[in-house]
Amino acid sequence: SFRNFDWGKDINLVCEFNHDHAAINFPGSRVIDEEFKKTIKKDLEISPDGLIIVELENQRIGFLNMIIREDIFKNIKYCDVRYVHLIPEYRGKGIGTLMMKKAQEYAKSKNAKELRLGTHIDNIASIKLYEKMGYKITRVIMTAEVKNE
């Protein structure tokens, strides 16, 4: 089932989930819980009902974080799906598909015209899920290290 995020009840567990999420999507990164909490607070200011907790049999097994943004180039509202996370033992069981359907419902309820998300290039399972749900690669983000010569 899905329910709205409750700061007092959920923030510490969502921080724990974020450690696994970061390891998958940002390999080698360091995770600072206080910085993540600031990010979540900012997201909640933009979209107070956009952070959803996923529960199964009274166990919190994941979260979905979405914010509604404006695309000034296309002149549309879109749903930025910022986090889609399930604990490992529940992956590959169709719950991710249900989460993505929930994101679709949320976007529709906010009159958004698109959903957008990003994932690490090596996160093949997520990429397959997103493609199955109708997502297409529309942008590529490239990085380079600054050389100190």
Side-chain angles (χ1 to χ4, degrees):
S1 66
F2 299 102
R3 68 166 173 79
N4 287 337
F5 171 81
D6 177 318
W7 187 274
K9 182 177 178 181
D10 299 318
I11 190 60
N12 290 332
L13 185 62
V14 168
C15 284
E16 286 179 38
F17 289 164
N18 185 50
H19 286 264
D20 184 46
H21 179 86
I24 294 167
N25 288 292
F26 306 99
S29 65
R30 64 187 180 106
V31 178
I32 302 169
D33 288 344
E34 292 311 310
E35 292 302 316
F36 178 68
K37 288 177 184 179
K38 287 179 191 175
T39 298
I40 292 296
K41 267 193 169 145
K42 286 179 188 173
D43 288 356
L44 289 169
E45 287 171 8
I46 297 167
S47 295
D49 57 347
L51 183 50
I52 307 293
I53 300 298
V54 183
E55 292 182 322
L56 187 63
E57 298 170 354
N58 292 323
Q59 180 185 357
R60 294 169 292 173
I61 62 169
F63 76 105
L64 178 62
N65 187 25
M66 304 157 290
I67 58 177
I68 301 300
R69 296 185 180 271
E70 296 281 336
D71 182 325
I72 61 171
F73 300 106
K74 293 173 90 175
N75 195 29
I76 62 166
K77 280 201 304 190
Y78 69 94
C79 179
D80 181 1
V81 182
R82 296 177 43 80
Y83 293 90
V84 179
H85 185 74
L86 269 175
I87 58 177
E89 54 267 34
Y90 290 97
R91 296 177 190 157
K93 299 183 184 316
I95 298 168
T97 299
L98 295 174
M99 292 171 74
M100 297 312 297
K101 286 180 180 176
K102 183 70 172 174
Q104 181 73 236
E105 290 171 16
Y106 181 77
K108 187 176 181 179
S109 77
K110 301 297 181 184
N111 298 312
K113 300 298 180 207
E114 292 179 352
L115 293 103
R116 299 179 187 174
L117 54 76
T119 192
H120 193 273
I121 196 162
D122 293 331
N123 191 348
I124 304 303
S126 289
I127 293 168
K128 284 182 180 178
L129 168 64
Y130 303 145
E131 288 177 337
K132 181 179 94 173
M133 300 301 296
Y135 288 75
K136 294 176 179 37
I137 296 171
T138 57
R139 297 180 72 198
V140 175
I141 297 172
M142 300 174 70
T143 59
E145 289 185 22
V146 175
K147 296 176 183 167
N148 295 319
E149 295 176 12

